[in-house]
Amino acid sequence: MSRSRRLKLQVFRVIVFLVFGAFFLVPIGAMFEFSTRGNTDTAPRTLSAWQTIFQTPDLVAAILASLALAVITSAGMLVLLVPTMIWVRLRLPRLNRVVEFLCLLPLTIPAIVLVAGLAPEYRWLSINVSESILTLAFVYLVLVLPYTYRTLHAGLAAIDVKTLSEAARSLGAGWATVMGRIIVPNMWSALLNAALLSVAVVLGEFTIANLLNYVNLQVAIALLGRANAGVSIAVAVASLMFAFILLVILSFFGRPRARVAQLEADTTLSWGQKT
Amino acid sequence: MPTAVAAAGVGTAARAGVEVRLENLRRRYGGVTALDGLNLTMAPGELVALLGPSGCGKTTALRLVAGLEQADSGRVVVAGEDVTGQPTNKRDVGMVFQAYSLFPHMTAWQNVAFGLQMRKVDTARRRKRAGDMLELVGLSGFANRFAHQLSGGQQQRVALARALAIEPKVLLLDEPLSALDAKVRARLRGSPRSS
Amino acid sequence: MTVAAKPLVETAARPLGGGRRFSLDWLGAVPFLAYVGVFLLLPTAIVVGGSFVGPNGLTLSNLTAMNKPFIVGAFVNSVVLSAGSAIIGAVLGAVLAYAVVTGNPDGVLRRLVTSACGVLAQFGGVTLAFAFIATIGFEGFITIWLKQHGINIYANGIWLFQLSGLLLVYTYFQIPLMVLVFLPALDGIRPQWREATESLGGATWHYWRYVAGPLLAPAFFGGLLLLFANSFSAYATAAALINQGSIIASLLIANTLTSEVGLAQPGLASALALVMVIVVAIVMVLYTVLQQRTARWLQ
């Protein structure tokens, strides 16, 4: 590459990063600014909005509900998806494409569509089983499938499941032992990534909770926004920071470096791509 | 088998060969000196192979001749003309890379014809010339294949045909067989000379 | 020896082939299939079926009821918004991805940008709406700062809470999404192709016109389609920004579900949802086709 071209490229990159950096950082900075305003134009900066978060019982309840949903969804996802994916790989290879299709399907069915069909089901659930907001975990598990499927798929692809299990079986291990003691310990980082992604998705969910009349974190923020914008924006910033920390941990944890972008694309999107 | 790079100031059918002279070429990458005052003169039509262990500067020398990199100091003179500051696309140098240099969205003949397209040769003559070149490397039947439908050895023969098609003043081959297995390598080794 | 070895091989192969134990193996997949059936396939079936059911049994009235101006208008607005935000997002996202890919592939900058894009592409909904309200809302700090310098960004109406506002706000998650889908394609472009072009006499313009352009086109248009689907199905951001009215299809579906219109005609919401899912499905199929072509050329 000639020197003048390299110089032009560097100038181009600096300008691009400055402009995009400003576009993406200014709104986040503005939320910090907004959440620390005083009551009047001349009042000094204050953290009172942030302190009010914990004095708002509805908000605390919603935060706790969302955290509980995140934990239940992650655990349920692992229990349902991991054994299925391993089993299909080992014993039902012809079902592989079906499982992949079903896992990626929620990307093609918008949440707003899903909720139209879920409304009767949740009406039945609230009458016959429970009215608890935690029942949302049933549908959240479906919502996180596309994101977690890709991560687990990559984790399983990195180990030779078939040979490992055949070796273990030849040494006398049953199927439960093969899964629990041979395969799962070899894909810890994929399991952790899948769980963290689920947490991030659940904490950000608004559509389904709102339209099924449950108050989770995002719905609470939206409701509060009309009464006390400062507090709701403070919570919004806090939840955003939390999601960002989760995903930064995720992107630095156990990934081959050169393939970070590919994996980001795989794990956060995986829109119907085939391997 | 030590890694080898062949650089040839070739005389192709249409042209007499030209002299290629490298004068005191220096190139450093950060703290590593790749070339420290290389002087080399290749007579018209001469076939020169640069031999040496990896990292000794063979590829760098070739890339300087091709203009893909700039020397820190020194000159490249082709046919008596100083081309040191010229961009690659003005130098009339054919190059065969180590691997993966075929354009994946073009068929074999489109790849071979690409250089002629850059020279504004009309379509009929491009097609004819590309066909001749593919025949020369023994791939007449593969004109409409894409790179991913060809084996590694076939890909490199297409790449060679592509470099020869433009009848360059200088033909550079940068370890063109390095990505292939020994058997294919032995079979291909004769082909550059026969053109 | 050969006689003894033969049956050994066959008995060893049978359990792995699984032909005889087929039915038992299937039990392992039942929990997953049942779960997905109840919470994904059944709701979808309810939507599709509900579109054709009225108070008096099977009917097409839900579908014919969609020719009302406000419904057609909402879908037109959704298409305009999705196309606009997809084009802007795809072009700007491609530029940013190119700036990223020309840097050090293992560098901190690249890692930071890809991580940030992973978060921001998911950053829709309430938080995003509030971020823009805090920036350029009535009390937003850019609004106030500009007002102090004599510029009123709302002189021509309150555009932040209209379609043009949504266009700007959607760009915020569309650009990162494009970066994530386009980066792998850019990574697949090999430097040899540029060098080969130059050695064959092509200038920079020729390289973009004949080599890089055609190679990246499927990935770019694939990304464009993905962004369209992403915007078309988005609800939360618009709902948080726009309190009343149904200016786009997703808001219309939500309002029909919860309002008196919906109670009067429960099949209408399903029919609207059906139209949306059909549009998104067509777009996603096209996206998959383009994605496969990209994979073949650029690994």
Coordinates of all heavy atoms in Angstrom, one line a residue, chain C residues 132-214:
Chain C
F132 N -32.9 9.5 23.7 CA -33.1 10.6 22.7 C -33.9 11.7 23.3 O -33.7 12.9 23.0 CB -33.7 10.0 21.4 CG -32.6 9.6 20.5 CD1 -32.1 8.3 20.6 CD2 -32.1 10.4 19.6 CE1 -31.1 7.9 19.7 CE2 -31.1 10.0 18.7 CZ -30.6 8.8 18.8
I133 N -34.9 11.4 24.2 CA -35.6 12.4 24.9 C -34.7 13.3 25.7 O -34.8 14.5 25.7 CB -36.8 11.8 25.7 CG1 -37.8 11.2 24.8 CG2 -37.4 12.9 26.7 CD1 -38.9 10.4 25.5
A134 N -33.7 12.6 26.4 CA -32.8 13.4 27.2 C -31.8 14.2 26.4 O -31.2 15.1 26.8 CB -32.0 12.4 28.1
T135 N -31.6 13.8 25.1 CA -30.7 14.5 24.2 C -31.4 15.6 23.4 O -31.0 16.8 23.5 CB -30.1 13.5 23.2 OG1 -29.7 12.4 23.9 CG2 -28.9 14.2 22.5
I136 N -32.5 15.3 22.7 CA -33.1 16.3 21.8 C -34.6 16.4 22.1 O -35.3 16.8 21.2 CB -32.8 16.0 20.3 CG1 -33.2 14.5 20.0 CG2 -31.4 16.2 20.0 CD1 -33.3 14.3 18.5
G137 N -35.0 15.9 23.3 CA -36.4 16.2 23.7 C -36.6 17.7 24.0 O -35.7 18.5 23.9
F138 N -37.8 18.0 24.5 CA -38.0 19.5 24.9 C -37.0 20.0 25.9 O -36.5 21.1 25.8 CB -39.4 19.6 25.4 CG -40.5 19.4 24.4 CD1 -41.5 18.5 24.6 CD2 -40.5 20.3 23.3 CE1 -42.5 18.3 23.7 CE2 -41.5 20.1 22.4 CZ -42.5 19.1 22.5
E139 N -36.7 19.1 26.8 CA -35.7 19.5 27.9 C -34.3 18.9 27.6 O -33.5 18.9 28.5 CB -36.3 19.0 29.2 CG -37.6 19.6 29.6 CD -37.4 21.1 30.0 OE1 -36.4 21.4 30.6 OE2 -38.3 21.9 29.6
G140 N -34.1 18.3 26.5 CA -32.9 17.6 26.2 C -31.7 18.6 26.1 O -31.9 19.8 25.8
F141 N -30.5 18.2 26.4 CA -29.5 19.2 26.6 C -29.0 19.8 25.3 O -28.6 20.9 25.3 CB -28.4 18.6 27.5 CG -27.2 18.0 26.8 CD1 -26.0 18.8 26.7 CD2 -27.2 16.8 26.3 CE1 -24.9 18.3 26.1 CE2 -26.1 16.2 25.7 CZ -25.0 17.0 25.6
I142 N -29.1 19.0 24.2 CA -28.8 19.7 23.0 C -29.8 20.7 22.6 O -29.5 21.8 22.1 CB -28.6 18.6 21.8 CG1 -27.3 17.8 22.1 CG2 -28.6 19.2 20.5 CD1 -27.0 16.8 21.0
T143 N -31.1 20.4 22.8 CA -32.2 21.3 22.5 C -32.0 22.6 23.3 O -32.1 23.7 22.7 CB -33.5 20.7 22.9 OG1 -33.6 19.3 22.5 CG2 -34.7 21.5 22.3
I144 N -31.7 22.5 24.6 CA -31.5 23.7 25.4 C -30.3 24.5 25.0 O -30.3 25.7 24.8 CB -31.3 23.2 26.9 CG1 -32.7 22.6 27.4 CG2 -30.9 24.4 27.8 CD1 -32.6 22.0 28.8
W145 N -29.2 23.7 24.7 CA -28.0 24.4 24.3 C -28.2 25.2 23.0 O -27.7 26.3 22.8 CB -26.9 23.3 24.1 CG -25.5 23.9 23.9 CD1 -24.7 24.5 24.8 CD2 -24.9 24.0 22.6 NE1 -23.5 24.9 24.1 CE2 -23.6 24.6 22.8 CE3 -25.2 23.6 21.3 CZ2 -22.7 24.8 21.8 CZ3 -24.3 23.8 20.3 CH2 -23.1 24.4 20.5
L146 N -28.9 24.5 22.0 CA -29.1 25.2 20.8 C -30.1 26.4 21.0 O -29.9 27.4 20.3 CB -29.7 24.2 19.8 CG -28.7 23.2 19.2 CD1 -29.5 22.2 18.3 CD2 -27.7 23.9 18.4
K147 N -31.0 26.3 21.9 CA -32.0 27.3 22.1 C -31.2 28.6 22.7 O -31.5 29.7 22.3 CB -33.0 26.9 23.1 CG -34.4 27.5 22.9 CD -35.4 27.0 23.9 CE -36.1 25.7 23.4 NZ -37.0 25.1 24.4
Q148 N -30.2 28.3 23.5 CA -29.4 29.4 24.1 C -28.7 30.1 23.0 O -28.2 31.3 23.1 CB -28.5 28.9 25.1 CG -29.2 28.5 26.4 CD -28.3 27.6 27.3 OE1 -27.2 27.2 26.9 NE2 -28.8 27.4 28.5
H149 N -28.4 29.4 21.9 CA -27.7 30.0 20.7 C -28.7 30.4 19.6 O -28.3 30.6 18.5 CB -26.7 29.1 20.2 CG -25.5 28.9 21.2 ND1 -25.7 28.1 22.3 CD2 -24.3 29.4 21.2 CE1 -24.5 28.1 23.0 NE2 -23.7 28.9 22.3
G150 N -30.0 30.5 20.0 CA -30.9 31.0 19.1 C -31.5 30.1 18.0 O -32.1 30.5 17.0
I151 N -31.2 28.8 18.2 CA -31.7 27.8 17.2 C -32.8 26.9 17.9 O -32.6 26.4 19.0 CB -30.6 26.9 16.7 CG1 -29.5 27.7 16.1 CG2 -31.2 25.9 15.7 CD1 -28.2 26.9 15.8
N152 N -34.0 26.9 17.3 CA -35.1 26.1 17.8 C -35.3 24.9 16.9 O -35.8 25.0 15.8 CB -36.4 26.9 17.9 CG -37.5 26.1 18.4 OD1 -37.3 24.9 18.9 ND2 -38.7 26.6 18.4
I153 N -34.9 23.7 17.3 CA -35.0 22.5 16.4 C -36.4 22.1 16.2 O -36.7 21.3 15.3 CB -34.1 21.3 16.9 CG1 -34.5 20.9 18.3 CG2 -32.6 21.7 16.9 CD1 -33.9 19.6 18.7
Y154 N -37.3 22.6 17.0 CA -38.7 22.2 16.9 C -39.6 23.3 16.3 O -40.8 23.4 16.4 CB -39.3 21.8 18.2 CG -38.7 20.4 18.6 CD1 -38.0 20.3 19.8 CD2 -38.8 19.3 17.8 CE1 -37.5 19.1 20.2 CE2 -38.2 18.1 18.2 CZ -37.6 18.0 19.4 OH -37.0 16.9 19.8
A155 N -38.9 24.2 15.5 CA -39.6 25.3 14.9 C -40.7 24.9 13.9 O -41.7 25.4 13.8 CB -38.6 26.3 14.2
N156 N -40.4 23.7 13.3 CA -41.3 23.2 12.3 C -42.2 22.0 12.8 O -42.6 21.2 12.0 CB -40.6 22.8 11.0 CG -39.9 24.0 10.4 OD1 -40.4 25.0 10.3 ND2 -38.6 23.7 10.0
G157 N -42.4 22.0 14.1 CA -43.2 20.9 14.6 C -42.4 20.0 15.5 O -41.1 20.0 15.4
I158 N -43.1 19.1 16.2 CA -42.4 18.2 17.2 C -42.0 16.9 16.5 O -42.6 15.9 16.8 CB -43.4 18.0 18.4 CG1 -44.2 19.2 18.7 CG2 -42.6 17.5 19.6 CD1 -45.5 18.8 19.4
W159 N -41.0 17.0 15.7 CA -40.8 15.8 14.8 C -40.2 14.6 15.5 O -40.2 13.5 15.0 CB -39.8 16.3 13.6 CG -38.6 16.9 14.1 CD1 -38.3 18.3 14.2 CD2 -37.4 16.3 14.5 NE1 -37.1 18.5 14.7 CE2 -36.4 17.3 14.8 CE3 -36.9 15.0 14.6 CZ2 -35.2 17.0 15.3 CZ3 -35.7 14.7 15.0 CH2 -34.8 15.7 15.4
L160 N -39.7 14.8 16.7 CA -39.1 13.7 17.4 C -40.1 12.6 17.7 O -39.9 11.4 17.7 CB -38.4 14.1 18.7 CG -37.8 13.0 19.6 CD1 -36.7 12.2 18.8 CD2 -37.2 13.5 20.9
F161 N -41.4 13.0 17.9 CA -42.4 12.1 18.3 C -43.3 11.7 17.1 O -44.4 11.3 17.2 CB -43.3 12.7 19.4 CG -42.5 13.0 20.6 CD1 -42.2 14.3 20.9 CD2 -42.0 12.0 21.4 CE1 -41.4 14.7 22.0 CE2 -41.2 12.3 22.5 CZ -40.9 13.7 22.8
Q162 N -42.7 11.9 15.9 CA -43.4 11.5 14.6 C -42.5 10.5 13.9 O -41.5 10.1 14.4 CB -43.6 12.8 13.8 CG -44.6 13.7 14.4 CD -44.7 15.1 13.8 OE1 -43.9 15.3 12.9 NE2 -45.6 15.9 14.2
L163 N -42.9 10.3 12.6 CA -42.2 9.3 11.8 C -40.7 9.7 11.6 O -39.8 8.8 11.7 CB -42.9 9.1 10.5 CG -42.7 7.8 9.8 CD1 -43.2 6.7 10.6 CD2 -43.4 7.8 8.4
S164 N -40.4 11.0 11.4 CA -39.0 11.4 11.2 C -38.2 11.2 12.4 O -37.0 10.9 12.4 CB -39.0 12.8 10.7 OG -39.8 13.6 11.5
G165 N -38.8 11.3 13.6 CA -38.1 11.1 14.9 C -37.8 9.6 15.0 O -36.6 9.3 15.3
L166 N -38.7 8.7 14.7 CA -38.5 7.3 14.7 C -37.3 6.9 13.8 O -36.5 6.1 14.1 CB -39.7 6.5 14.3 CG -40.8 6.4 15.3 CD1 -42.0 5.6 14.8 CD2 -40.3 5.9 16.7
L167 N -37.3 7.6 12.6 CA -36.2 7.3 11.6 C -34.9 7.6 12.3 O -33.9 6.8 12.2 CB -36.4 8.2 10.4 CG -35.5 7.9 9.2 CD1 -35.8 6.5 8.6 CD2 -35.7 9.0 8.1
L168 N -34.7 8.7 12.9 CA -33.5 9.0 13.6 C -33.1 8.1 14.7 O -32.0 7.5 14.8 CB -33.5 10.5 14.1 CG -32.3 10.9 15.0 CD1 -31.1 11.0 14.1 CD2 -32.6 12.2 15.7
V169 N -34.1 7.8 15.5 CA -33.9 6.9 16.7 C -33.5 5.5 16.3 O -32.6 4.9 16.8 CB -35.1 7.0 17.7 CG1 -34.9 6.0 18.8 CG2 -35.3 8.4 18.2
Y170 N -34.2 5.0 15.2 CA -34.0 3.6 14.8 C -32.6 3.5 14.2 O -31.9 2.4 14.3 CB -35.0 3.2 13.7 CG -36.3 2.7 14.2 CD1 -36.8 3.0 15.4 CD2 -37.2 2.0 13.3 CE1 -38.0 2.6 15.9 CE2 -38.4 1.5 13.8 CZ -38.8 1.8 15.1 OH -40.0 1.4 15.5
T171 N -32.0 4.6 13.6 CA -30.7 4.5 13.1 C -29.7 4.1 14.2 O -28.7 3.4 13.9 CB -30.3 5.9 12.6 OG1 -31.3 6.5 11.9 CG2 -29.0 5.9 11.7
Y172 N -30.0 4.4 15.4 CA -29.1 4.1 16.5 C -28.9 2.6 16.7 O -27.9 2.2 17.1 CB -29.7 4.8 17.8 CG -28.7 4.9 18.9 CD1 -28.0 6.1 19.0 CD2 -28.5 3.9 19.9 CE1 -27.0 6.2 20.1 CE2 -27.6 4.1 20.9 CZ -26.9 5.2 21.0 OH -26.0 5.4 22.0
F173 N -29.9 1.8 16.5 CA -29.7 0.4 16.6 C -29.4 -0.3 15.2 O -28.9 -1.4 15.1 CB -30.7 -0.4 17.4 CG -32.1 -0.3 16.9 CD1 -32.6 -0.9 15.8 CD2 -33.1 0.5 17.6 CE1 -33.9 -0.8 15.3 CE2 -34.4 0.6 17.2 CZ -34.8 -0.1 16.0
Q174 N -29.8 0.4 14.1 CA -29.6 -0.2 12.8 C -28.2 -0.2 12.4 O -27.6 -1.2 11.8 CB -30.4 0.5 11.7 CG -32.0 0.5 11.9 CD -32.5 -0.8 11.4 OE1 -32.1 -1.9 11.8 NE2 -33.5 -0.7 10.5
I175 N -27.4 0.9 12.7 CA -26.0 1.0 12.3 C -25.2 -0.2 13.0 O -24.5 -0.9 12.3 CB -25.4 2.4 12.6 CG1 -26.1 3.4 11.7 CG2 -23.9 2.4 12.4 CD1 -25.7 4.8 12.1
P176 N -25.3 -0.3 14.3 CA -24.5 -1.4 14.9 C -24.9 -2.8 14.4 O -24.0 -3.7 14.2 CB -24.9 -1.3 16.4 CG -25.4 0.0 16.6 CD -26.0 0.5 15.3
L177 N -26.2 -3.0 14.1 CA -26.6 -4.3 13.5 C -25.9 -4.5 12.2 O -25.4 -5.6 11.9 CB -28.1 -4.3 13.4 CG -28.7 -5.6 12.8 CD1 -28.4 -6.8 13.7 CD2 -30.2 -5.5 12.7
M178 N -25.9 -3.5 11.3 CA -25.2 -3.6 10.0 C -23.7 -3.9 10.2 O -23.1 -4.8 9.5 CB -25.4 -2.3 9.2 CG -24.8 -2.4 7.8 SD -25.7 -3.7 6.8 CE -24.8 -3.6 5.3
V179 N -23.1 -3.3 11.2 CA -21.7 -3.5 11.5 C -21.5 -5.0 11.8 O -20.6 -5.7 11.2 CB -21.1 -2.7 12.6 CG1 -19.7 -3.1 13.0 CG2 -21.1 -1.2 12.2
L180 N -22.3 -5.6 12.6 CA -22.2 -7.0 13.0 C -22.4 -7.9 11.8 O -21.7 -8.9 11.7 CB -23.2 -7.3 14.1 CG -23.0 -6.7 15.4 CD1 -24.1 -7.1 16.4 CD2 -21.6 -7.0 16.0
V181 N -23.3 -7.7 10.9 CA -23.5 -8.6 9.8 C -22.5 -8.4 8.7 O -22.2 -9.3 7.9 CB -24.9 -8.6 9.2 CG1 -25.9 -9.3 10.1 CG2 -25.4 -7.2 9.0
F182 N -22.0 -7.1 8.6 CA -21.1 -6.8 7.4 C -19.7 -7.1 7.7 O -18.9 -7.4 6.8 CB -21.4 -5.3 7.0 CG -21.0 -5.0 5.6 CD1 -21.6 -5.7 4.6 CD2 -20.1 -4.0 5.3 CE1 -21.2 -5.5 3.2 CE2 -19.8 -3.8 4.0 CZ -20.3 -4.5 3.0
L183 N -19.3 -7.0 9.0 CA -17.8 -7.3 9.3 C -17.3 -8.6 8.8 O -16.2 -8.7 8.2 CB -17.6 -7.2 10.8 CG -17.0 -5.9 11.3 CD1 -16.8 -6.0 12.8 CD2 -15.7 -5.5 10.6
P184 N -18.0 -9.7 9.0 CA -17.5 -11.0 8.6 C -17.3 -11.0 7.0 O -16.3 -11.6 6.6 CB -18.6 -12.0 8.9 CG -19.3 -11.4 10.1 CD -19.3 -9.9 9.8
A185 N -18.2 -10.4 6.3 CA -18.0 -10.3 4.8 C -16.7 -9.5 4.5 O -15.9 -9.9 3.7 CB -19.2 -9.7 4.2
L186 N -16.5 -8.4 5.1 CA -15.3 -7.6 4.9 C -14.1 -8.3 5.3 O -13.1 -8.3 4.6 CB -15.4 -6.3 5.7 CG -16.3 -5.1 5.1 CD1 -16.3 -4.0 6.1 CD2 -15.7 -4.7 3.7
D187 N -14.2 -9.1 6.4 CA -13.0 -9.9 6.8 C -12.7 -11.0 5.7 O -11.6 -11.4 5.6 CB -13.4 -10.7 8.1 CG -13.1 -9.8 9.3 OD1 -12.3 -8.9 9.2 OD2 -13.8 -10.0 10.3
G188 N -13.7 -11.4 4.9 CA -13.5 -12.4 3.9 C -12.8 -11.9 2.7 O -12.3 -12.7 1.9
I189 N -12.7 -10.6 2.6 CA -12.0 -10.0 1.4 C -10.5 -10.1 1.6 O -10.0 -9.6 2.6 CB -12.4 -8.5 1.3 CG1 -13.9 -8.3 1.0 CG2 -11.5 -7.8 0.2 CD1 -14.2 -8.5 -0.4
R190 N -9.8 -10.8 0.7 CA -8.4 -11.0 0.8 C -7.6 -9.9 0.2 O -7.9 -9.5 -0.9 CB -8.0 -12.4 0.2 CG -8.7 -13.5 0.9 CD -8.4 -14.8 0.2 NE -9.1 -15.9 0.7 CZ -8.8 -16.6 1.9 NH1 -7.7 -16.2 2.5 NH2 -9.6 -17.5 2.3
P191 N -6.5 -9.5 0.8 CA -5.6 -8.5 0.2 C -5.1 -8.9 -1.1 O -4.8 -8.0 -2.0 CB -4.5 -8.3 1.3 CG -4.6 -9.4 2.2 CD -6.0 -9.9 2.1
Q192 N -4.9 -10.2 -1.3 CA -4.4 -10.7 -2.6 C -5.3 -10.2 -3.8 O -4.8 -10.0 -4.9 CB -4.4 -12.2 -2.7 CG -3.3 -12.8 -1.9 CD -3.8 -13.3 -0.6 OE1 -4.6 -12.6 0.1 NE2 -3.4 -14.5 -0.1
W193 N -6.6 -10.0 -3.6 CA -7.5 -9.7 -4.7 C -7.2 -8.2 -5.1 O -7.2 -7.9 -6.3 CB -8.9 -9.8 -4.3 CG -9.3 -11.3 -4.0 CD1 -8.6 -12.3 -4.6 CD2 -10.3 -11.8 -3.1 NE1 -9.2 -13.5 -4.1 CE2 -10.2 -13.2 -3.2 CE3 -11.2 -11.2 -2.3 CZ2 -11.0 -14.0 -2.5 CZ3 -12.1 -12.1 -1.6 CH2 -12.0 -13.4 -1.7
R194 N -6.9 -7.4 -4.2 CA -6.6 -6.0 -4.5 C -5.2 -6.0 -5.3 O -5.0 -5.3 -6.3 CB -6.5 -5.1 -3.3 CG -6.2 -3.7 -3.6 CD -6.3 -2.8 -2.5 NE -6.6 -1.5 -3.0 CZ -7.5 -0.6 -2.4 NH1 -8.2 -1.0 -1.4 NH2 -7.7 0.5 -2.9
E195 N -4.2 -6.8 -4.7 CA -2.9 -6.8 -5.3 C -3.0 -7.4 -6.7 O -2.3 -6.9 -7.7 CB -2.0 -7.5 -4.4 CG -1.7 -6.8 -3.1 CD -0.9 -7.6 -2.1 OE1 -0.6 -8.8 -2.4 OE2 -0.4 -6.9 -1.1
A196 N -3.8 -8.5 -6.9 CA -3.9 -9.1 -8.2 C -4.5 -8.1 -9.2 O -4.1 -8.0 -10.3 CB -4.8 -10.3 -8.1
T197 N -5.6 -7.4 -8.7 CA -6.2 -6.3 -9.6 C -5.1 -5.3 -10.1 O -5.1 -5.0 -11.2 CB -7.3 -5.6 -8.8 OG1 -8.2 -6.5 -8.3 CG2 -8.1 -4.7 -9.8
E198 N -4.3 -4.9 -9.1 CA -3.3 -3.9 -9.5 C -2.3 -4.4 -10.4 O -1.9 -3.8 -11.4 CB -2.7 -3.3 -8.2 CG -3.6 -2.4 -7.4 CD -3.1 -1.9 -6.1 OE1 -1.9 -2.3 -5.8 OE2 -3.8 -1.2 -5.4
S199 N -1.9 -5.7 -10.2 CA -0.8 -6.2 -11.0 C -1.3 -6.5 -12.4 O -0.6 -6.6 -13.4 CB -0.2 -7.5 -10.4 OG -1.1 -8.6 -10.6
L200 N -2.7 -6.6 -12.5 CA -3.3 -6.8 -13.9 C -3.6 -5.5 -14.5 O -4.2 -5.5 -15.6 CB -4.5 -7.7 -13.7 CG -4.2 -9.2 -13.3 CD1 -5.5 -9.9 -12.9 CD2 -3.5 -9.9 -14.4
G201 N -3.2 -4.4 -13.9 CA -3.4 -3.1 -14.5 C -4.6 -2.3 -14.1 O -5.0 -1.3 -14.6
G202 N -5.3 -2.8 -13.0 CA -6.5 -2.1 -12.6 C -6.2 -1.1 -11.5 O -5.3 -1.2 -10.7
A203 N -6.9 0.1 -11.6 CA -6.7 1.1 -10.6 C -7.7 0.9 -9.4 O -8.5 -0.1 -9.5 CB -7.0 2.5 -11.3
T204 N -7.6 1.7 -8.4 CA -8.5 1.6 -7.2 C -9.9 1.5 -7.6 O -10.7 0.7 -7.2 CB -8.2 2.8 -6.3 OG1 -6.9 2.8 -5.9 CG2 -9.1 2.7 -5.1
W205 N -10.3 2.4 -8.6 CA -11.7 2.4 -9.0 C -12.1 1.1 -9.7 O -13.2 0.6 -9.4 CB -11.9 3.6 -10.1 CG -13.3 3.7 -10.5 CD1 -14.2 4.4 -9.8 CD2 -13.9 3.1 -11.6 NE1 -15.4 4.3 -10.5 CE2 -15.2 3.5 -11.6 CE3 -13.4 2.3 -12.7 CZ2 -16.2 3.1 -12.6 CZ3 -14.3 2.0 -13.7 CH2 -15.7 2.4 -13.6
H206 N -11.2 0.5 -10.5 CA -11.5 -0.8 -11.1 C -11.7 -1.8 -10.0 O -12.6 -2.7 -10.1 CB -10.4 -1.2 -12.0 CG -10.3 -0.4 -13.2 ND1 -9.2 0.4 -13.5 CD2 -11.1 -0.2 -14.3 CE1 -9.3 1.0 -14.6 NE2 -10.5 0.7 -15.1
Y207 N -10.9 -1.8 -9.0 CA -11.0 -2.7 -7.9 C -12.3 -2.7 -7.2 O -13.0 -3.7 -7.0 CB -9.9 -2.5 -6.9 CG -10.0 -3.3 -5.6 CD1 -9.8 -4.6 -5.6 CD2 -10.4 -2.6 -4.4 CE1 -10.0 -5.4 -4.4 CE2 -10.5 -3.4 -3.2 CZ -10.3 -4.7 -3.2 OH -10.5 -5.4 -2.1
W208 N -12.8 -1.5 -6.9 CA -14.1 -1.4 -6.3 C -15.3 -1.8 -7.3 O -16.2 -2.4 -6.9 CB -14.3 0.0 -5.7 CG -13.5 0.2 -4.5 CD1 -12.4 0.9 -4.4 CD2 -13.8 -0.4 -3.2 NE1 -11.9 0.9 -3.1 CE2 -12.7 0.1 -2.3 CE3 -14.8 -1.2 -2.7 CZ2 -12.7 -0.3 -1.0 CZ3 -14.7 -1.5 -1.3 CH2 -13.6 -1.1 -0.5
R209 N -15.1 -1.4 -8.5 CA -16.1 -1.6 -9.5 C -16.3 -3.0 -9.9 O -17.4 -3.6 -10.0 CB -15.9 -0.7 -10.7 CG -16.6 -1.0 -12.0 CD -18.1 -0.7 -11.9 NE -18.9 -1.0 -13.1 CZ -19.3 -2.3 -13.3 NH1 -19.0 -3.2 -12.5 NH2 -19.9 -2.5 -14.4
Y210 N -15.2 -3.7 -10.1 CA -15.2 -5.1 -10.7 C -15.0 -6.2 -9.6 O -15.3 -7.4 -9.9 CB -14.2 -5.3 -11.8 CG -14.5 -4.4 -13.0 CD1 -13.8 -3.3 -13.3 CD2 -15.6 -4.7 -13.8 CE1 -14.1 -2.5 -14.4 CE2 -16.0 -3.9 -14.9 CZ -15.2 -2.8 -15.2 OH -15.5 -2.0 -16.2
V211 N -14.3 -5.9 -8.6 CA -13.9 -7.0 -7.6 C -14.6 -6.8 -6.3 O -15.5 -7.6 -6.0 CB -12.4 -7.0 -7.4 CG1 -12.0 -8.2 -6.5 CG2 -11.7 -7.2 -8.8
A212 N -14.2 -5.8 -5.5 CA -14.8 -5.7 -4.2 C -16.3 -5.4 -4.2 O -17.0 -6.0 -3.4 CB -14.0 -4.6 -3.4
G213 N -16.7 -4.6 -5.1 CA -18.1 -4.2 -5.2 C -19.0 -5.4 -5.4 O -19.9 -5.7 -4.5
P214 N -18.8 -6.2 -6.5 CA -19.6 -7.4 -6.7 C -19.5 -8.4 -5.6 O -20.5 -9.1 -5.3 CB -19.1 -7.9 -8.0 CG -18.4 -6.8 -8.7 CD -17.9 -5.9 -7.6

